[in-house]
Amino acid sequence: MSEIVVDGEPLPFVEGQTVAAALVAAGRVAWRTTRVQHRPRGVFCGIGVCFDCLVRIEGTGGQRACLVQAVAGMTVTTGEHDDE
Ligand code: FES
């Protein structure tokens, strides 16, 4: 099983999984909060429409985790300002 690096920690994934699928499979249902009310967000639509699943991937923010396929060694950062 391969691993991505999420917030500095290794996270295993199955080939073909998206970053969001890997996070959910690891038990993480929320990985950022909304900007104003700080409400938890993770996967909602799962098809790239709602933007709830935003993460920073390889230093680029605003990436929809449900659309990006996990690649071994990929660095992912979660947090409340990933939509900037
Ligand atoms: S879960 Fe809706 S865009 Fe990713």
Side-chain angles (χ1 to χ4, degrees):
M1 186 175 283
S2 301
E3 294 177 336
I4 57 176
V5 180
V6 179
D7 300 328
E9 300 291 328
L11 183 84
F13 69 94
V14 176
E15 294 295 330
Q17 277 186 319
T18 63
V19 171
L23 286 165
V24 170
R28 292 187 64 175
V29 295
W31 48 82
R32 73 176 190 95
T33 56
T34 58
R35 187 182 306 251
V36 176
Q37 296 187 328
H38 308 288
R39 294 190 174 166
R41 292 291 185 266
V43 171
F44 182 66
C45 72
I47 58 172
V49 175
C50 73
F51 288 76
D52 272 4
C53 64
L54 295 177
V55 293
R56 185 174 299 273
I57 296 176
E58 303 292 358
T60 302
Q63 302 292 302
R64 287 167 285 179
C66 69
L67 295 183
V68 179
Q69 188 167 334
V71 175
M74 172 186 279
T75 60
V76 178
T77 306
T78 65
E80 64 182 310
H81 299 298
D82 289 329
D83 53 345
E84 293 180 337

